[in-house]
Coordinates of all heavy atoms in Angstrom, one line a residue:
M1 N 52.2 -52.7 40.1 CA 52.3 -52.8 38.7 C 52.1 -51.4 38.1 O 51.2 -50.6 38.5 CB 51.1 -53.7 38.1 CG 51.0 -53.5 36.6 SD 49.5 -54.4 36.0 CE 50.3 -56.0 35.7
R2 N 53.0 -50.9 37.3 CA 53.0 -49.6 36.7 C 52.1 -49.7 35.5 O 52.2 -50.6 34.7 CB 54.4 -49.1 36.4 CG 55.2 -48.9 37.6 CD 56.5 -48.3 37.2 NE 56.2 -46.9 36.8 CZ 56.7 -45.9 37.4 NH1 57.5 -46.0 38.4 NH2 56.3 -44.7 37.0
R3 N 51.3 -48.7 35.3 CA 50.4 -48.6 34.1 C 50.8 -47.4 33.3 O 51.0 -46.4 33.8 CB 49.0 -48.6 34.6 CG 48.6 -49.8 35.3 CD 47.1 -49.9 35.5 NE 46.8 -51.2 36.0 CZ 46.2 -51.4 37.2 NH1 45.9 -50.4 37.9 NH2 46.0 -52.6 37.6
P4 N 50.8 -47.6 32.0 CA 51.2 -46.5 31.1 C 50.1 -45.4 31.1 O 48.9 -45.7 31.2 CB 51.4 -47.1 29.7 CG 50.5 -48.3 29.8 CD 50.5 -48.8 31.2
L5 N 50.6 -44.2 30.9 CA 49.6 -43.1 30.8 C 50.0 -42.3 29.5 O 51.2 -41.9 29.3 CB 49.8 -42.1 32.0 CG 49.0 -40.8 31.9 CD1 47.5 -41.0 31.9 CD2 49.4 -39.9 33.0
L6 N 49.0 -42.2 28.6 CA 49.2 -41.5 27.4 C 48.4 -40.2 27.5 O 47.2 -40.3 27.8 CB 48.8 -42.3 26.2 CG 49.6 -43.5 25.9 CD1 49.0 -44.3 24.8 CD2 51.0 -43.2 25.6
R7 N 48.9 -39.1 27.1 CA 48.2 -37.9 27.1 C 48.3 -37.2 25.8 O 49.4 -36.9 25.3 CB 48.7 -37.0 28.2 CG 47.9 -35.8 28.5 CD 48.4 -35.0 29.7 NE 47.4 -34.0 30.0 CZ 47.5 -33.2 31.1 NH1 48.6 -33.4 31.9 NH2 46.6 -32.3 31.3
C8 N 47.2 -36.9 25.1 CA 47.2 -36.3 23.8 C 46.9 -34.8 24.0 O 46.0 -34.5 24.6 CB 46.2 -36.9 22.9 SG 46.4 -38.6 22.5
R9 N 47.8 -34.0 23.4 CA 47.5 -32.6 23.4 C 47.5 -32.2 21.9 O 48.2 -32.7 21.1 CB 48.6 -31.8 24.1 CG 48.6 -32.1 25.6 CD 49.7 -31.3 26.2 NE 49.8 -31.7 27.6 CZ 49.7 -30.8 28.6 NH1 49.7 -29.5 28.3 NH2 49.8 -31.2 29.8
G10 N 46.7 -31.2 21.6 CA 46.5 -30.8 20.3 C 45.4 -31.6 19.6 O 44.5 -32.0 20.2
R11 N 45.6 -31.8 18.3 CA 44.6 -32.4 17.5 C 44.5 -33.9 17.7 O 45.5 -34.6 17.6 CB 44.9 -32.2 16.0 CG 43.8 -32.6 15.1 CD 43.6 -31.5 14.1 NE 42.1 -31.5 13.8 CZ 41.6 -31.4 12.6 NH1 42.4 -31.3 11.6 NH2 40.4 -31.5 12.4
R12 N 43.3 -34.4 18.1 CA 43.1 -35.8 18.3 C 42.2 -36.4 17.2 O 41.1 -35.8 17.0 CB 42.5 -36.0 19.7 CG 43.3 -35.5 20.8 CD 42.5 -35.5 22.1 NE 41.5 -34.4 22.0 CZ 40.5 -34.2 22.9 NH1 40.4 -35.0 23.9 NH2 39.7 -33.2 22.8
T13 N 42.6 -37.4 16.6 CA 41.8 -38.1 15.7 C 41.7 -39.6 16.0 O 42.6 -40.1 16.8 CB 42.3 -38.0 14.2 OG1 43.6 -38.7 14.2 CG2 42.5 -36.6 13.8
R14 N 40.7 -40.3 15.5 CA 40.6 -41.7 15.8 C 41.9 -42.4 15.4 O 42.4 -43.3 16.1 CB 39.4 -42.3 15.1 CG 39.3 -43.8 15.2 CD 38.2 -44.3 14.5 NE 38.2 -45.8 14.6 CZ 37.1 -46.6 14.5 NH1 35.9 -46.0 14.2 NH2 37.2 -47.9 14.6
E15 N 42.4 -42.1 14.2 CA 43.6 -42.7 13.7 C 44.8 -42.5 14.6 O 45.6 -43.4 14.9 CB 44.0 -42.2 12.3 CG 42.9 -42.6 11.2 CD 41.7 -41.8 11.2 OE1 41.6 -40.7 11.8 OE2 40.7 -42.2 10.7
L16 N 45.0 -41.3 15.1 CA 46.1 -41.0 16.0 C 45.9 -41.8 17.3 O 46.9 -42.4 17.8 CB 46.1 -39.5 16.4 CG 47.1 -39.1 17.4 CD1 48.6 -39.4 17.0 CD2 47.0 -37.7 17.8
I17 N 44.7 -41.9 17.9 CA 44.5 -42.6 19.1 C 44.7 -44.1 18.9 O 45.4 -44.7 19.8 CB 43.1 -42.3 19.6 CG1 42.9 -40.8 19.9 CG2 42.8 -43.1 20.8 CD1 41.5 -40.3 20.0
E18 N 44.2 -44.6 17.8 CA 44.5 -46.1 17.5 C 46.0 -46.4 17.4 O 46.5 -47.4 17.9 CB 43.8 -46.5 16.3 CG 42.3 -46.6 16.4 CD 41.6 -46.9 15.1 OE1 42.1 -46.6 14.0 OE2 40.5 -47.5 15.2
K19 N 46.7 -45.5 16.8 CA 48.1 -45.6 16.6 C 48.9 -45.6 18.0 O 49.7 -46.4 18.3 CB 48.7 -44.6 15.7 CG 50.1 -44.8 15.3 CD 50.6 -43.7 14.3 CE 52.0 -43.9 14.0 NZ 52.5 -42.9 13.0
L20 N 48.5 -44.6 18.8 CA 49.1 -44.5 20.1 C 48.8 -45.7 21.0 O 49.7 -46.2 21.7 CB 48.6 -43.2 20.8 CG 49.2 -41.9 20.3 CD1 48.5 -40.7 21.0 CD2 50.7 -41.8 20.5
L21 N 47.6 -46.2 21.0 CA 47.2 -47.3 21.9 C 47.8 -48.6 21.4 O 48.2 -49.5 22.1 CB 45.7 -47.4 22.0 CG 45.0 -46.3 22.7 CD1 43.5 -46.5 22.7 CD2 45.5 -46.1 24.1
G22 N 47.8 -48.8 20.1 CA 48.3 -50.0 19.5 C 47.2 -51.1 19.6 O 46.2 -50.9 20.3
E23 N 47.5 -52.2 18.9 CA 46.5 -53.3 18.8 C 46.4 -54.1 20.1 O 45.4 -54.7 20.4 CB 46.8 -54.2 17.7 CG 46.6 -53.6 16.3 CD 47.0 -54.6 15.2 OE1 47.1 -55.8 15.5 OE2 47.1 -54.1 14.1
Q24 N 47.4 -54.0 21.0 CA 47.5 -54.8 22.2 C 46.8 -54.2 23.4 O 46.7 -54.8 24.4 CB 48.9 -55.2 22.5 CG 49.6 -56.0 21.4 CD 48.9 -57.3 21.1 OE1 48.5 -58.0 22.0 NE2 48.8 -57.6 19.8
F25 N 46.4 -52.9 23.3 CA 45.9 -52.2 24.4 C 44.6 -52.8 24.9 O 43.7 -53.1 24.1 CB 45.6 -50.7 24.1 CG 45.1 -49.9 25.3 CD1 45.9 -49.5 26.3 CD2 43.8 -49.6 25.3 CE1 45.5 -48.8 27.3 CE2 43.3 -48.9 26.4 CZ 44.1 -48.5 27.4
A26 N 44.6 -53.2 26.2 CA 43.4 -53.8 26.8 C 43.0 -53.2 28.1 O 42.4 -53.8 29.0 CB 43.6 -55.3 26.9
G27 N 43.4 -51.9 28.3 CA 43.2 -51.3 29.6 C 41.9 -50.4 29.6 O 41.1 -50.6 28.7
V28 N 41.8 -49.6 30.6 CA 40.7 -48.7 30.7 C 41.1 -47.4 30.1 O 42.1 -46.8 30.4 CB 40.4 -48.4 32.2 CG1 39.2 -47.4 32.3 CG2 40.0 -49.7 32.9
L29 N 40.3 -46.9 29.1 CA 40.6 -45.7 28.4 C 39.9 -44.6 29.1 O 38.6 -44.6 29.2 CB 40.1 -45.8 26.9 CG 40.5 -44.7 26.0 CD1 42.0 -44.5 25.9 CD2 39.9 -44.9 24.6
V30 N 40.6 -43.6 29.7 CA 40.0 -42.5 30.5 C 40.1 -41.3 29.6 O 41.2 -40.9 29.3 CB 40.7 -42.3 31.8 CG1 40.1 -41.2 32.6 CG2 40.7 -43.6 32.6
T31 N 38.9 -40.7 29.3 CA 38.9 -39.6 28.3 C 37.8 -38.6 28.7 O 37.1 -38.8 29.6 CB 38.5 -40.1 26.9 OG1 37.2 -40.6 26.9 CG2 39.4 -41.2 26.5
D32 N 37.8 -37.5 27.9 CA 36.7 -36.5 28.0 C 35.6 -37.1 27.1 O 35.6 -38.3 26.7 CB 37.2 -35.1 27.5 CG 37.9 -35.1 26.2 OD1 37.7 -36.1 25.4 OD2 38.5 -34.1 25.8
F33 N 34.7 -36.3 26.7 CA 33.6 -36.7 25.9 C 33.8 -36.6 24.4 O 32.9 -36.7 23.6 CB 32.3 -36.0 26.3 CG 31.7 -36.5 27.6 CD1 32.2 -36.0 28.8 CD2 30.8 -37.5 27.6 CE1 31.7 -36.4 30.0 CE2 30.2 -37.9 28.8 CZ 30.7 -37.4 30.0
Y34 N 35.0 -36.4 24.0 CA 35.3 -36.2 22.5 C 35.0 -37.5 21.8 O 35.4 -38.6 22.2 CB 36.8 -35.8 22.4 CG 37.2 -35.4 21.0 CD1 36.6 -34.4 20.3 CD2 38.3 -36.1 20.4 CE1 37.0 -34.1 19.0 CE2 38.7 -35.7 19.1 CZ 38.0 -34.7 18.5 OH 38.4 -34.4 17.2
T35 N 34.3 -37.4 20.7 CA 33.8 -38.5 20.0 C 34.9 -39.4 19.3 O 34.6 -40.5 19.0 CB 32.8 -38.1 18.9 OG1 33.4 -37.2 18.0 CG2 31.6 -37.5 19.5
A36 N 36.1 -38.9 19.2 CA 37.1 -39.7 18.6 C 37.5 -40.9 19.4 O 38.1 -41.8 18.9 CB 38.4 -38.8 18.4
Y37 N 37.0 -41.0 20.6 CA 37.3 -42.1 21.5 C 36.2 -43.1 21.5 O 36.3 -44.2 22.1 CB 37.5 -41.6 23.0 CG 38.7 -40.7 23.1 CD1 38.4 -39.4 23.4 CD2 40.0 -41.1 23.0 CE1 39.5 -38.5 23.6 CE2 41.0 -40.2 23.2 CZ 40.8 -38.9 23.5 OH 41.8 -38.0 23.6
N38 N 35.1 -42.8 20.9 CA 33.9 -43.7 21.0 C 34.1 -45.1 20.4 O 33.3 -46.0 20.7 CB 32.7 -43.0 20.4 CG 32.2 -41.9 21.3 OD1 32.6 -41.7 22.4 ND2 31.3 -41.0 20.8
W39 N 35.0 -45.2 19.5 CA 35.2 -46.5 18.8 C 35.7 -47.6 19.7 O 35.5 -48.8 19.4 CB 36.2 -46.3 17.6 CG 37.5 -45.8 18.1 CD1 37.9 -44.5 18.3 CD2 38.6 -46.6 18.6 NE1 39.2 -44.5 18.8 CE2 39.6 -45.8 19.0 CE3 38.8 -48.0 18.7 CZ2 40.8 -46.2 19.5 CZ3 40.0 -48.5 19.2 CH2 41.0 -47.6 19.6
Y40 N 36.4 -47.2 20.8 CA 37.0 -48.1 21.7 C 36.0 -49.0 22.3 O 35.1 -48.5 23.1 CB 37.9 -47.4 22.7 CG 38.7 -48.3 23.6 CD1 39.6 -49.2 23.1 CD2 38.4 -48.4 24.9 CE1 40.3 -50.0 23.9 CE2 39.1 -49.2 25.8 CZ 40.0 -50.1 25.3 OH 40.7 -50.9 26.1
A41 N 36.1 -50.3 22.1 CA 35.1 -51.3 22.6 C 35.4 -51.8 24.0 O 34.5 -52.4 24.7 CB 34.9 -52.4 21.7
G42 N 36.6 -51.5 24.6 CA 37.0 -51.9 25.9 C 36.4 -51.1 27.0 O 35.5 -50.2 26.8
L43 N 36.9 -51.2 28.2 CA 36.5 -50.4 29.3 C 36.8 -48.9 29.1 O 37.9 -48.6 28.6 CB 37.1 -50.9 30.6 CG 36.7 -52.3 31.1 CD1 37.6 -52.7 32.3 CD2 35.3 -52.3 31.4
H44 N 35.8 -48.1 29.3 CA 36.0 -46.7 29.0 C 35.4 -45.9 30.2 O 34.3 -46.1 30.6 CB 35.2 -46.4 27.8 CG 35.6 -45.1 27.1 ND1 35.5 -45.0 25.7 CD2 36.0 -44.0 27.5 CE1 35.9 -43.7 25.4 NE2 36.2 -43.1 26.5
Q45 N 36.2 -45.0 30.7 CA 35.8 -44.1 31.8 C 35.9 -42.6 31.3 O 36.9 -42.2 30.8 CB 36.7 -44.3 33.0 CG 36.3 -43.4 34.2 CD 37.2 -43.6 35.4 OE1 37.7 -44.8 35.6 NE2 37.5 -42.6 36.1
R46 N 34.8 -41.9 31.6 CA 34.8 -40.5 31.3 C 35.4 -39.7 32.5 O 35.2 -40.1 33.6 CB 33.4 -40.0 31.0 CG 32.7 -40.8 29.9 CD 33.3 -40.6 28.6 NE 32.6 -41.3 27.6 CZ 32.8 -41.3 26.3 NH1 33.8 -40.6 25.8 NH2 32.1 -42.0 25.5
R47 N 36.1 -38.6 32.2 CA 36.6 -37.8 33.3 C 35.5 -37.2 34.1 O 34.5 -36.7 33.5 CB 37.6 -36.8 32.7 CG 38.8 -37.5 32.1 CD 39.9 -36.5 31.7 NE 40.2 -35.6 32.8 CZ 40.6 -34.4 32.6 NH1 40.7 -33.8 31.5 NH2 41.0 -33.6 33.7
W48 N 35.6 -37.3 35.4 CA 34.6 -36.8 36.3 C 34.2 -35.3 36.1 O 33.1 -34.9 36.0 CB 35.1 -37.0 37.7 CG 34.0 -36.7 38.8 CD1 34.2 -35.7 39.7 CD2 32.8 -37.3 39.0 NE1 33.1 -35.7 40.5 CE2 32.2 -36.6 40.1 CE3 32.1 -38.3 38.4 CZ2 30.9 -37.0 40.6 CZ3 30.8 -38.6 38.9 CH2 30.3 -38.0 40.0
A49 N 35.2 -34.5 35.9 CA 35.0 -33.0 35.7 C 34.1 -32.8 34.4 O 33.2 -31.9 34.4 CB 36.3 -32.3 35.6
H50 N 34.4 -33.6 33.4 CA 33.6 -33.4 32.2 C 32.2 -33.9 32.4 O 31.2 -33.3 31.9 CB 34.3 -34.2 31.0 CG 35.6 -33.6 30.6 ND1 35.7 -32.6 29.7 CD2 36.8 -33.9 31.0 CE1 36.9 -32.3 29.5 NE2 37.7 -33.0 30.3
L51 N 32.0 -35.0 33.1 CA 30.7 -35.5 33.4 C 29.9 -34.5 34.2 O 28.7 -34.2 33.9 CB 30.8 -36.8 34.1 CG 29.4 -37.5 34.5 CD1 28.6 -37.8 33.2 CD2 29.7 -38.7 35.3
L52 N 30.5 -33.9 35.2 CA 29.8 -32.9 36.0 C 29.4 -31.7 35.2 O 28.3 -31.2 35.3 CB 30.7 -32.5 37.2 CG 30.8 -33.5 38.3 CD1 31.8 -32.9 39.3 CD2 29.5 -33.8 39.0
R53 N 30.3 -31.2 34.3 CA 30.0 -30.1 33.5 C 28.9 -30.4 32.5 O 28.0 -29.6 32.3 CB 31.3 -29.7 32.7 CG 31.1 -28.4 31.9 CD 32.3 -28.0 31.1 NE 33.5 -28.1 31.9 CZ 34.6 -28.9 31.6 NH1 34.6 -29.5 30.5 NH2 35.7 -28.9 32.4
E54 N 28.9 -31.5 31.9 CA 27.8 -31.9 31.0 C 26.5 -32.0 31.7 O 25.5 -31.6 31.2 CB 28.2 -33.3 30.3 CG 29.3 -33.2 29.3 CD 29.0 -32.4 28.1 OE1 27.9 -32.5 27.6 OE2 29.9 -31.7 27.6
T55 N 26.5 -32.6 32.9 CA 25.3 -32.7 33.7 C 24.7 -31.4 34.1 O 23.5 -31.1 34.0 CB 25.5 -33.6 34.9 OG1 26.0 -34.9 34.5 CG2 24.3 -33.8 35.7
H56 N 25.6 -30.5 34.5 CA 25.2 -29.1 34.9 C 24.6 -28.4 33.7 O 23.5 -27.8 33.8 CB 26.4 -28.3 35.4 CG 26.1 -26.9 35.8 ND1 26.1 -25.9 34.9 CD2 25.6 -26.4 37.0 CE1 25.8 -24.8 35.5 NE2 25.5 -25.1 36.8
D57 N 25.2 -28.5 32.5 CA 24.7 -27.9 31.3 C 23.3 -28.4 30.9 O 22.4 -27.7 30.5 CB 25.7 -28.0 30.2 CG 27.0 -27.2 30.4 OD1 27.0 -26.3 31.3 OD2 27.9 -27.4 29.6
L58 N 23.2 -29.7 31.1 CA 21.9 -30.4 30.7 C 20.8 -29.9 31.6 O 19.7 -29.6 31.2 CB 22.1 -31.9 30.8 CG 20.9 -32.7 30.4 CD1 20.5 -32.5 29.0 CD2 21.1 -34.2 30.7
V59 N 21.0 -29.8 32.9 CA 20.0 -29.3 33.9 C 19.7 -27.9 33.6 O 18.5 -27.5 33.6 CB 20.5 -29.5 35.3 CG1 19.6 -28.8 36.3 CG2 20.6 -31.0 35.7
A60 N 20.7 -27.1 33.3 CA 20.5 -25.6 33.1 C 19.7 -25.4 31.8 O 18.8 -24.5 31.7 CB 21.8 -24.9 32.9
A61 N 19.9 -26.3 30.8 CA 19.1 -26.2 29.6 C 17.7 -26.7 29.7 O 16.8 -26.4 28.9 CB 19.8 -26.9 28.5
N62 N 17.4 -27.5 30.7 CA 16.1 -28.1 30.9 C 15.6 -28.0 32.3 O 15.3 -29.1 32.9 CB 16.2 -29.6 30.4 CG 16.6 -29.8 29.0 OD1 15.9 -29.6 28.1 ND2 17.9 -30.1 28.8
P63 N 15.4 -26.8 32.8 CA 15.1 -26.7 34.3 C 13.7 -27.2 34.7 O 13.5 -27.6 35.8 CB 15.2 -25.2 34.5 CG 15.0 -24.6 33.2 CD 15.6 -25.6 32.2
T64 N 12.8 -27.3 33.7 CA 11.5 -27.8 34.1 C 11.4 -29.3 34.1 O 10.4 -29.9 34.4 CB 10.4 -27.2 33.1 OG1 10.8 -27.7 31.8 CG2 10.4 -25.7 33.2
D65 N 12.4 -30.0 33.6 CA 12.4 -31.5 33.6 C 12.8 -32.2 34.9 O 12.9 -33.4 34.9 CB 13.3 -32.0 32.4 CG 12.8 -31.6 31.1 OD1 11.6 -31.2 31.0 OD2 13.6 -31.8 30.1
L66 N 13.1 -31.4 35.9 CA 13.5 -32.0 37.2 C 12.4 -32.6 37.9 O 11.3 -32.2 37.9 CB 14.2 -31.0 38.0 CG 15.5 -30.5 37.4 CD1 16.1 -29.4 38.3 CD2 16.5 -31.6 37.3

């Protein structure tokens, strides 16, 4: 089964994302941590590279919390 891939470049807004996905979208939304995607109530996966970067930054900012 082929699954569609949408890639947004440039300015991303909630309205643009909703329009691109359409009302029938029921798949897994794979994104970075940009808040314009947070409205999506379905399955949501964050990109691994972004998660690693955020985790690294969090540890660097709080080294005594380990």
Side-chain angles (χ1 to χ4, degrees):
M1 168 187 272
R2 296 188 70 118
R3 296 193 171 115
L5 172 65
L6 296 175
R7 189 171 189 179
C8 293
R9 292 182 185 231
R11 190 132 212 227
R12 298 167 288 171
T13 63
R14 176 182 175 155
E15 292 79 17
L16 173 64
I17 297 161
E18 287 177 332
K19 185 176 180 179
L20 286 172
L21 294 179
E23 293 180 14
Q24 301 300 320
F25 182 76
V28 178
L29 188 61
V30 181
T31 68
D32 55 13
F33 284 85
Y34 187 55
T35 58
Y37 300 109
N38 290 347
W39 61 270
Y40 182 66
L43 294 175
H44 198 149
Q45 178 180 327
R46 306 293 182 175
R47 292 187 57 211
W48 185 243
H50 292 272
L51 179 60
L52 287 176
R53 186 179 316 122
E54 292 289 325
T55 303
H56 180 269
D57 292 347
L58 183 63
V59 170
N62 302 283
T64 59
D65 290 349
L66 296 177

